[in-house]
Amino acid sequence: MAVSNTLVRGAARPSDEVAFTVHGETVTLSPEIIKKYLVSGDPSKVTEQELTMFLNMCKFQHLNPFLREAYLIKYGNSPATMVTGKDVFVRRARASVDFDGYQAGVIVFNKNTGEVTEREGGWWMSSEETLLGGWAKVRIKGIATPFYSAVSFNEYAGRDKEGNLNKQWREKPCTMIRKVALSQALREAFPDQNSGMYSPEEIAEATFMELDDNPVSVPTRAEAQRPAIEKKAEPVAATAWNAVQGQTTGQTAEAVSDEDAAMAALFG
């Protein structure tokens, strides 16, 4: 899905805009565009340095933030968090001719038998098992041993200041820890494509809110420069309305023409 993201220049200078190609589409970014449309959290708190770092991450890693391939998350005065969309790692792996599939799941401890099991998928029996972590294997053609990652649940689970699990980790623990393991395995298997990128599940600060994965659509320059019909009709509508209320100066309600009344009905 192509998303238009060429905006009217406001306070930003033309030199602030950076254009690069992602999936055959041209992406245009500037600190102003990022701050206005692409910050999750509080845009007013994002620093110029953080905006520049995010812009360069998107440019050099060929990520389209308008398609939610990258997020800039800002909470209060804490440093901004920059993460990669959940599907980017898998998509890049599948695009490689060397990719030969992957497996991923959870690691559980059975309270009755004392057995530790690596289970493929993302489910567990909370009444009988303790969720210990997640695991993933990524296979590369020509390499006998798959890239393997096993991660601890307690090491990555997002918690508040009181130590309680946040909503994401409380409601979807298996899904979250499985994604952490898979992201790590894919990053190790494809370091050139994924170096320096982290999934939201790997960063605790990124799991305190539900990240919107819907594409961002913003007006083109032509759309933004087009005069709004409502703004043109505003004086006529206001005059007609005031006249009907007997509040106009220098004219009565009877002086309002049929055309004015029609405009008031349409736009008022």
Side-chain angles (χ1 to χ4, degrees):
M1 175 180 177
V3 178
S4 174
N5 62 317
T6 302
L7 304 183
V8 174
R9 293 186 179 94
R13 300 182 304 277
S15 59
D16 289 331
E17 292 189 352
V18 176
F20 52 95
T21 302
V22 181
H23 312 311
E25 297 286 337
T26 298
V27 176
T28 302
L29 288 179
S30 71
E32 181 190 17
I33 293 172
I34 296 170
K35 192 170 185 178
K36 188 172 182 180
Y37 295 99
L38 299 172
V39 176
S40 299
D42 188 353
S44 68
K45 299 290 187 179
V46 181
T47 67
E48 290 298 321
Q49 181 182 24
E50 290 168 341
L51 292 170
T52 300
M53 289 177 63
F54 182 73
L55 188 156
N56 285 324
M57 183 187 80
C58 293
K59 175 184 176 181
F60 293 114
Q61 291 291 354
H62 300 285
L63 300 170
N64 187 344
F66 296 93
L67 295 181
R68 302 300 191 182
E69 292 184 342
Y71 293 88
L72 176 59
I73 306 168
K74 186 69 175 183
Y75 291 103
N77 296 318
S78 299
T81 299
M82 303 176 196
V83 294
T84 304
K86 60 186 179 182
D87 297 326
V88 172
F89 293 105
V90 174
R91 188 184 305 121
R92 290 188 173 192
R94 288 177 175 171
S96 173
V97 295
D98 297 323
F99 180 61
D100 198 29
Y102 72 85
Q103 294 172 282
V106 294
I107 305 171
V108 297
F109 171 78
N110 189 296
K111 301 173 186 177
N112 299 320
T113 65
E115 182 181 9
V116 175
T117 304
E118 285 189 356
R119 178 180 298 140
E120 191 165 3
W123 67 275
W124 65 311
M125 297 177 289
S126 58
S127 61
E128 300 180 15
E129 297 173 328
T130 299
L131 180 59
L132 298 181
W135 66 274
K137 293 180 181 179
V138 177
R139 295 183 296 276
I140 301 296
K141 294 176 182 176
I143 300 178
T145 303
F147 288 85
Y148 174 81
S149 174
V151 296
S152 167
F153 180 85
N154 288 333
E155 182 177 354
Y156 285 94
R159 300 178 186 274
D160 58 26
K161 294 180 180 179
E162 287 71 39
N164 300 313
L165 293 173
N166 66 37
K167 181 180 178 181
Q168 295 274 65
W169 284 93
R170 185 175 64 254
E171 296 182 354
K172 300 182 290 185
C174 292
T175 299
M176 299 293 283
I177 198 61
R178 178 182 178 275
K179 287 182 179 180
V180 171
L182 181 57
S183 296
Q184 290 198 4
L186 288 168
R187 191 164 49 244
E188 291 182 11
F190 297 95
D192 293 338
Q193 296 91 326
N194 301 319
S195 177
M197 298 194 304
Y198 298 89
S199 67
E201 296 77 20
E202 293 180 271
I203 308 297
E205 292 81 1
T207 61
F208 278 93
M209 65 182 295
E210 292 276 357
L211 294 177
D212 188 357
D213 58 2
N214 293 312
V216 179
S217 181
V218 298
T220 63
R221 284 190 177 87
E223 292 170 339
Q225 290 174 334
R226 187 180 303 134
I229 296 177
E230 289 80 2
K231 291 183 178 179
K232 284 185 176 180
E234 206 169 55
V236 176
T239 300
W241 173 254
N242 290 337
V244 171
Q245 297 299 311
Q247 298 171 354
T248 53
T249 302
Q251 73 176 54
T252 63
E254 290 77 14
V256 180
S257 67
D258 292 341
E259 180 181 354
D260 288 342
M263 292 293 286
L266 181 60
F267 298 109

Short mmCIF file of all heavy atoms in Angstrom, two decimals, residues 14 38 43 52 62 64 72 85 87 104 114 116 165 167 175 180 191 199 201 232 243 251 258 260 267:
data_model
loop_
_atom_site.label_atom_id
_atom_site.label_comp_id
_atom_site.label_asym_id
_atom_site.label_seq_id
_atom_site.Cartn_x
_atom_site.Cartn_y
_atom_site.Cartn_z
N PRO A 14 13.73 23.87 3.16
CA PRO A 14 13.79 22.76 2.20
C PRO A 14 14.92 21.79 2.49
O PRO A 14 14.80 20.60 2.28
CB PRO A 14 13.99 23.49 0.86
CG PRO A 14 13.37 24.83 1.06
CD PRO A 14 13.64 25.17 2.51
N LEU A 38 4.54 11.43 13.39
CA LEU A 38 5.11 10.11 13.61
C LEU A 38 5.59 9.82 15.03
O LEU A 38 6.22 8.79 15.26
CB LEU A 38 6.29 9.90 12.64
CG LEU A 38 5.90 9.95 11.15
CD1 LEU A 38 7.16 9.93 10.29
CD2 LEU A 38 4.99 8.79 10.79
N PRO A 43 4.84 14.57 21.48
CA PRO A 43 5.73 15.18 20.48
C PRO A 43 6.43 16.44 20.99
O PRO A 43 7.53 16.75 20.54
CB PRO A 43 4.78 15.52 19.33
CG PRO A 43 3.58 14.68 19.53
CD PRO A 43 3.44 14.51 21.01
N THR A 52 16.50 13.91 14.64
CA THR A 52 17.54 13.66 13.64
C THR A 52 17.99 12.20 13.67
O THR A 52 18.19 11.57 12.61
CB THR A 52 18.75 14.57 13.88
OG1 THR A 52 18.33 15.95 13.80
CG2 THR A 52 19.84 14.33 12.85
N HIS A 62 16.46 1.95 5.62
CA HIS A 62 15.41 1.84 4.60
C HIS A 62 14.08 1.41 5.22
O HIS A 62 13.48 0.40 4.82
CB HIS A 62 15.83 0.89 3.49
CG HIS A 62 17.08 1.32 2.77
ND1 HIS A 62 17.11 2.36 1.86
CD2 HIS A 62 18.36 0.87 2.86
CE1 HIS A 62 18.34 2.53 1.42
NE2 HIS A 62 19.12 1.64 2.01
N ASN A 64 10.14 2.65 6.32
CA ASN A 64 9.09 3.63 6.05
C ASN A 64 8.22 3.79 7.30
O ASN A 64 7.36 2.95 7.58
CB ASN A 64 8.23 3.17 4.88
CG ASN A 64 7.22 4.24 4.45
OD1 ASN A 64 6.95 5.18 5.19
ND2 ASN A 64 6.66 4.10 3.27
N LEU A 72 8.95 6.20 16.82
CA LEU A 72 9.66 7.08 17.75
C LEU A 72 8.73 7.29 18.94
O LEU A 72 7.66 7.89 18.81
CB LEU A 72 9.99 8.42 17.09
CG LEU A 72 10.64 9.48 17.97
CD1 LEU A 72 11.96 8.98 18.54
CD2 LEU A 72 10.88 10.76 17.17
N GLY A 85 9.19 -1.92 13.52
CA GLY A 85 7.91 -2.61 13.47
C GLY A 85 8.08 -4.12 13.55
O GLY A 85 9.09 -4.68 13.11
N ASP A 87 7.01 -6.71 12.02
CA ASP A 87 7.11 -7.60 10.87
C ASP A 87 8.35 -7.35 10.02
O ASP A 87 8.60 -8.11 9.07
CB ASP A 87 5.87 -7.44 9.99
CG ASP A 87 4.60 -7.86 10.71
OD1 ASP A 87 4.68 -8.80 11.52
OD2 ASP A 87 3.55 -7.25 10.46
N ALA A 104 9.83 -20.96 16.30
CA ALA A 104 9.88 -20.14 17.52
C ALA A 104 8.80 -20.60 18.48
O ALA A 104 7.75 -21.12 18.08
CB ALA A 104 9.68 -18.66 17.19
N GLY A 114 8.36 -31.13 37.15
CA GLY A 114 9.68 -30.50 37.20
C GLY A 114 10.37 -30.47 35.85
O GLY A 114 11.56 -30.15 35.76
N VAL A 116 11.33 -29.15 32.12
CA VAL A 116 11.44 -27.92 31.33
C VAL A 116 11.30 -28.29 29.85
O VAL A 116 12.01 -29.18 29.36
CB VAL A 116 12.79 -27.21 31.57
CG1 VAL A 116 12.92 -26.00 30.64
CG2 VAL A 116 12.90 -26.78 33.03
N LEU A 165 3.67 -6.42 36.08
CA LEU A 165 3.73 -6.52 34.63
C LEU A 165 2.80 -5.49 34.00
O LEU A 165 1.68 -5.27 34.47
CB LEU A 165 3.30 -7.92 34.18
CG LEU A 165 4.23 -9.09 34.54
CD1 LEU A 165 3.56 -10.40 34.15
CD2 LEU A 165 5.57 -8.95 33.83
N LYS A 167 0.42 -4.03 30.82
CA LYS A 167 -0.72 -4.68 30.17
C LYS A 167 -0.30 -5.67 29.10
O LYS A 167 -0.82 -6.79 29.03
CB LYS A 167 -1.65 -3.62 29.57
CG LYS A 167 -2.88 -4.20 28.90
CD LYS A 167 -3.75 -3.10 28.32
CE LYS A 167 -4.97 -3.69 27.62
NZ LYS A 167 -5.83 -2.64 27.01
N THR A 175 3.16 -14.50 23.61
CA THR A 175 3.36 -13.78 22.35
C THR A 175 4.54 -12.84 22.45
O THR A 175 5.39 -12.77 21.54
CB THR A 175 2.10 -12.98 21.98
OG1 THR A 175 1.01 -13.89 21.79
CG2 THR A 175 2.31 -12.19 20.70
N VAL A 180 10.48 -11.65 21.20
CA VAL A 180 11.82 -11.24 21.61
C VAL A 180 12.86 -12.24 21.09
O VAL A 180 13.87 -11.87 20.49
CB VAL A 180 11.93 -11.10 23.14
CG1 VAL A 180 13.38 -10.88 23.55
CG2 VAL A 180 11.06 -9.96 23.64
N PRO A 191 22.74 -10.08 10.12
CA PRO A 191 23.27 -8.88 10.77
C PRO A 191 23.36 -7.67 9.84
O PRO A 191 23.17 -6.53 10.28
CB PRO A 191 24.66 -9.31 11.25
CG PRO A 191 25.03 -10.45 10.35
CD PRO A 191 23.75 -11.15 10.06
N SER A 199 13.00 -4.78 18.11
CA SER A 199 11.54 -4.84 18.06
C SER A 199 10.95 -4.20 19.32
O SER A 199 11.63 -4.11 20.35
CB SER A 199 11.08 -6.29 17.95
OG SER A 199 11.37 -7.00 19.14
N GLU A 201 8.97 -5.40 21.45
CA GLU A 201 8.94 -6.35 22.55
C GLU A 201 10.26 -6.44 23.30
O GLU A 201 10.30 -6.86 24.46
CB GLU A 201 8.56 -7.74 22.03
CG GLU A 201 7.16 -7.84 21.44
CD GLU A 201 7.04 -7.25 20.05
OE1 GLU A 201 8.09 -7.12 19.37
OE2 GLU A 201 5.91 -6.93 19.62
N LYS A 232 -14.28 29.55 2.75
CA LYS A 232 -14.84 30.51 1.81
C LYS A 232 -16.26 30.89 2.20
O LYS A 232 -16.68 32.03 2.09
CB LYS A 232 -14.85 29.91 0.40
CG LYS A 232 -13.48 29.90 -0.28
CD LYS A 232 -13.65 29.41 -1.70
CE LYS A 232 -12.32 29.47 -2.45
NZ LYS A 232 -12.47 28.99 -3.84
N ALA A 243 -28.39 37.25 10.72
CA ALA A 243 -29.57 37.96 10.24
C ALA A 243 -30.83 37.26 10.71
O ALA A 243 -31.80 37.90 11.13
CB ALA A 243 -29.54 38.04 8.71
N GLN A 251 -28.71 45.39 8.47
CA GLN A 251 -29.65 44.67 7.64
C GLN A 251 -30.56 43.84 8.52
O GLN A 251 -30.23 43.52 9.65
CB GLN A 251 -28.94 43.79 6.60
CG GLN A 251 -28.28 42.53 7.18
CD GLN A 251 -27.68 41.68 6.10
OE1 GLN A 251 -26.88 42.16 5.32
NE2 GLN A 251 -28.08 40.44 6.04
N ASP A 258 -32.17 34.57 -0.94
CA ASP A 258 -32.38 33.13 -1.01
C ASP A 258 -31.05 32.40 -1.15
O ASP A 258 -30.85 31.32 -0.61
CB ASP A 258 -33.28 32.80 -2.21
CG ASP A 258 -34.70 33.29 -1.99
OD1 ASP A 258 -35.05 33.55 -0.82
OD2 ASP A 258 -35.43 33.41 -2.99
N ASP A 260 -28.11 33.38 0.04
CA ASP A 260 -27.45 33.37 1.34
C ASP A 260 -28.06 32.33 2.25
O ASP A 260 -27.35 31.63 2.99
CB ASP A 260 -27.56 34.75 2.00
CG ASP A 260 -26.67 35.79 1.31
OD1 ASP A 260 -25.76 35.37 0.59
OD2 ASP A 260 -26.91 36.99 1.50
N PHE A 267 -23.72 25.13 4.65
CA PHE A 267 -22.45 25.20 5.36
C PHE A 267 -22.56 25.62 6.80
O PHE A 267 -21.58 25.58 7.52
CB PHE A 267 -21.51 26.18 4.63
CG PHE A 267 -21.18 25.78 3.23
CD1 PHE A 267 -21.69 26.46 2.14
CD2 PHE A 267 -20.36 24.69 3.01
CE1 PHE A 267 -21.35 26.08 0.86
CE2 PHE A 267 -20.03 24.30 1.72
CZ PHE A 267 -20.53 25.01 0.64
#
